[in-house]
Amino acid sequence: RFAVGSNTVTIEGLELRGAGGSLALDAAIDARRVAIQSRGQGVDLGEVARILGLPPGLVTGRVAAADIDVELHQQATRPSRGRVALALDDVDVLGLTDARLRVAGTLEQQQLDGQVEVVVPALGAASLGVGLVLGGAPLDAEAWSEATGATELRLAGVDLAEVSAWLEPRLGGLGLSGRASGALRLSRAD
């Protein structure tokens, strides 16, 4: 079952088989609650894009593994929780090729912990680590502005000439060269 209302989306019992693998999805989304359960592996992203009516070639690759079980609420009195594990391989999107993405995270009440890693062979690697205590329910925008904890972005072996070439159509010639690595850590204790 698939239903879209003025402020709701409901997907019940969606199962995709073929496209190189399988994917199951149940979702209920409205302004006060988001609930998503999905499992799958080996799914061809190009085929999913085609099914969704996206332009051919916009994205290709495959979902190596997906395990998502999330329930988020707008009210702090309703417990939010979640677990996300996602692995995408051989992704081509926006002119980037052979990318690999890994996402792992958990949410228990207001405690959010996670890690995102992206590797694009031509550009380099980036990772983002998050350890936050939200200031309320995750669907309340103010909870994010009141969050405490730390977030760290790391870059490794980034080819600046490739980044410059990729950004050129969007920003003009930057003329960058060399390789860059580094880290940026943002934290808030109060």
Side-chain angles (χ1 to χ4, degrees):
R1 182 186 127 173
F2 180 75
V4 178
S6 61
N7 293 315
T8 64
V9 174
T10 303
I11 301 169
E12 290 179 5
L14 175 66
E15 290 190 31
L16 297 174
R17 296 199 189 283
S22 64
L23 179 70
L25 174 67
D26 289 296
I29 301 169
D30 63 39
R32 295 175 307 197
R33 179 177 174 260
V34 172
I36 299 172
Q37 290 183 325
S38 181
R39 286 207 166 118
Q41 64 182 18
V43 175
D44 182 326
L45 291 172
E47 187 63 19
V48 171
R50 185 190 69 75
I51 291 168
L52 295 175
L54 298 175
L58 177 67
V59 62
T60 62
R62 84 185 158 84
V63 177
D67 184 4
I68 300 167
D69 185 3
V70 174
E71 185 166 355
L72 309 176
H73 295 277
Q74 186 181 32
Q75 299 168 322
T77 56
R78 309 259 340 248
S80 292
R81 56 146 192 88
R83 179 186 80 264
V84 174
L86 179 65
L88 305 180
D89 289 334
D90 306 320
V91 176
D92 295 352
V93 63
L94 300 173
L96 302 174
T97 58
D98 297 322
R100 185 187 73 179
L101 171 72
R102 300 290 185 266
V103 178
T106 60
L107 173 69
E108 286 298 329
Q109 302 282 31
Q110 296 163 321
Q111 179 69 45
L112 175 65
D113 295 295
Q115 183 75 23
V116 177
E117 296 177 0
V118 178
V119 176
V120 180
L123 296 180
S127 66
L128 177 68
V130 175
L132 298 175
V133 176
L134 302 179
L139 293 183
D140 179 4
E142 192 173 305
W144 295 89
S145 65
E146 299 295 323
T148 58
T151 300
E152 184 170 81
L153 173 65
R154 290 187 170 275
L155 302 175
V158 176
D159 186 326
L160 296 176
E162 290 292 333
V163 170
S164 184
W166 185 72
L167 290 175
E168 185 170 348
R170 296 154 185 85
L171 300 176
L174 297 176
L176 301 174
S177 64
R179 291 205 173 266
S181 296
L184 172 64
R185 181 177 171 85
L186 302 172
S187 63
R188 178 178 175 189
D190 58 10

